[in-house]
Structures are given as structure tokens and as C-alpha cells.
Amino acid sequence: MSIPDFSSQFDAVVDSSLEWLSDKGEFLFDAANAMLTGIYKGGLWCIAYPPYYVVAIIIALIGWRIVGVRFAILTALALLFCDVMGLWPETVSTLALVLTATVLALVVAIPLGVLAGLAPSVDRIVDPVLDLIQTMPPYIYLLPAIALLGYGPATALLATFIVAVPPAIRLTSLGIRMTPREFIELGEASGVTGWQMFLKIRLPFAKPSIMAGVNQSLMMAFGMVVIAGIVGSGGLGESIYGAIRTLDIAKSINAAMAIVILTMILDRLAQSAARSRMGDSQ
């Protein structure tokens, strides 16, 4: 069999498999679509319902508590700038998508990372899977998601979830494995239970690495924002995608600036929270 023939047959198998899966599991994918869309809309409502200045003040107060007064003032001004550009609805839509996808990713990634850190056999299975996910181009995940879930925020949420999971798993697993051997031996000599060993010894040492994983998951989620605009996710990604199609350079720059503002704010908050956790554990 020649290489072109094999490629054609492989493509046919993939296409037919997706078609079969879509037909036979239609009710499951419809339910998944409704669930993901509902979760996203719930998060969006929480952010979009209050006036923009209320959201800006709340985020600024969080920044003041975690980072400092200067950061809080700059955060409030930067978010006000997003509203002045006429991009506040798109900004909160993007924020809801990123936060929802990141929270869902962490709910899955942190327990799985803990398990991989405690069980080398699990780590040997998980590690190559994560390698595959992280080496594939991110937009690849949109294609099967579109085939199974259609266009809309659910597809964007699923694709963003996929790219946000690996860093949290890796860094959580690394943090669990980084526990100094002498502390583990001390705990064993003291007769602590496995659960006490995890809560009082392993977890405190792993917290900085786990928080770094949270930060990296956020950054990966933001990296999918523009790509997710292709599937009608709404928000700044769709604004940029629409501006590219119409060659509206000014609009694309405005939307890109809003994405940079959100990314810098959440990145700084996550980094400061990680440093605070590190100081508490010492």
C-alpha cells in the first residue's frame, strides 16, 4: 500500500468515526453543549450583570488586597479604558470564558496531578498524553469540538479547557514529588496517617508549584481566546477575528489591547497570590 493510499484511508476512517460518534452520541453531545453553555452563561451573568464600574472597583479592591494600592489604581483605570473603547461587553465575555475554562481545568487537573505525583505508574501514563496535547497546534482541538458540539461558546470552552489542563497537572505533580525525603521519613517515624502526610507535609511543599500551575493555566486559556473567536465564542477573540476578516486594523488593535490588559491583571494577581501562599507555607 502506498503512502497516499494509506493517508486517504486513514482520513476516511477519521471522518467516518466522527460522523458515527456524532450520530450515535447526539443526545450526549447535546447535553454536554447545554451544560457547558449554561456554565459559561452563569459565569458571564455574574460579571456582566453589575455596571462596569462596580466590576472594576471589585477587581481593583482584590488587586489592592493581594498586590498593592498602585496596582489597584492602575487596574481600575485599565478596565475603565476598556469601557471607553466600547469593548466592555466583549471584555467581560472573554473574562468569563477564561475564568470558567480555567476553573473547570483546575477541578480536573489538580486531583489528577496529585495522583500522578503520588503514583509513578499513573505519571508514566499521564506524561505522554500531556506531551501530545501540548505539542499539537491549539486550533486542532476546535475541529472535533465543532463536529461534535457545533459552533458557539461550548466549543470554545471545551478547546480552552483542553489547553489549560496540562500545565496544572504537570506543576501539581511536580510539587507533590518535590517534598523532601527527610520530611517524609520524619512523618513516617512520627506515625502520621497517609492523609495527614498529604495535608501537613506534602501539600504545604507543593503549594507554590500548584499556584504556578494555576497561573500557567490562565495564560494558556488567554492564548486560546483569539483562536476560539473562529467558532463564535463571542468576546474579544471574535472581535479580533471579525476585524481581521474586514481588515479593520483599528478595531483589532483595540481588542488586542483589551486582551493584554486582562492578561496582565490576572497574571499579576495569580503571581502575587502564589508568592503569598509561598510565604504562608514557610
Side-chain angles (χ1 to χ4, degrees):
M1 180 184 299
S2 64
I3 292 178
D5 290 340
F6 174 79
S7 178
S8 299
Q9 291 185 14
F10 179 79
D11 292 344
V13 169
V14 171
D15 291 339
S16 61
S17 298
L18 276 176
E19 184 177 353
W20 179 86
L21 190 60
S22 178
D23 291 339
K24 299 300 182 181
E26 182 178 2
F27 69 100
L28 290 177
F29 296 118
D30 288 344
N33 192 334
M35 181 185 68
L36 291 174
T37 302
I39 293 173
Y40 165 73
K41 288 184 176 180
L44 177 60
W45 181 87
C46 293
I47 304 174
Y49 179 75
Y52 76 91
Y53 54 84
V54 173
V55 177
I57 290 173
I58 291 174
I59 296 177
L61 289 175
I62 294 173
W64 169 70
R65 177 67 180 83
I66 297 178
V67 184
V69 175
R70 182 183 176 186
F71 176 78
I73 295 173
L74 292 175
T75 294
L77 293 175
L79 293 174
L80 176 61
F81 181 65
C82 293
D83 181 69
V84 169
M85 290 191 296
L87 290 172
W88 184 251
E90 291 82 0
T91 300
V92 295
S93 177
T94 297
L95 183 60
L97 175 64
V98 169
L99 292 180
T100 303
T102 303
V103 169
L104 292 176
L106 295 177
V107 168
V108 173
I110 291 179
L112 187 55
V114 169
L115 183 60
L118 294 175
S121 58
V122 175
D123 186 61
R124 285 193 293 270
I125 297 173
V126 170
D127 197 51
V129 175
L130 298 181
D131 287 339
L132 178 62
I133 293 174
Q134 291 185 295
T135 53
M136 295 284 281
Y139 64 83
I140 290 296
Y141 304 117
L142 292 174
L143 302 179
I146 292 171
L148 300 175
L149 299 177
Y151 286 86
T155 298
L157 186 59
L158 177 60
T160 307
F161 165 85
I162 292 173
V163 300
V165 163
I169 294 178
R170 287 190 186 279
L171 288 168
T172 299
S173 176
L174 176 64
I176 295 296
R177 293 197 305 269
M178 283 175 58
T179 307
R181 185 62 195 171
E182 56 269 25
F183 283 87
I184 296 177
E185 292 174 351
L186 178 62
E188 292 172 346
S190 302
V192 299
T193 64
W195 186 243
Q196 291 172 329
M197 175 80 75
F198 173 73
L199 290 178
K200 297 182 178 180
I201 298 178
R202 288 188 180 273
L203 188 59
F205 278 105
K207 278 183 180 179
S209 186
I210 293 174
M211 292 304 297
V214 173
N215 177 264
Q216 290 301 306
S217 290
L218 275 171
M219 296 305 101
M220 293 300 295
F222 270 114
M224 276 295 293
V225 165
V226 177
I227 300 174
I230 299 173
V231 298
S233 63
L236 297 169
E238 189 168 344
S239 296
I240 291 178
Y241 180 64
I244 291 173
R245 289 190 302 170
T246 58
L247 296 179
D248 190 343
I249 298 175
K251 184 178 179 180
S252 66
I253 292 176
N254 290 342
M257 290 172 64
I259 289 177
V260 170
I261 287 171
L262 283 180
T263 304
M264 292 178 66
I265 290 173
L266 292 184
D267 180 48
R268 187 69 184 277
L269 288 175
Q271 287 187 14
S272 298
R275 286 194 293 267
S276 175
R277 291 284 185 180
M278 187 183 299
D280 292 342
S281 64
Q282 290 178 349

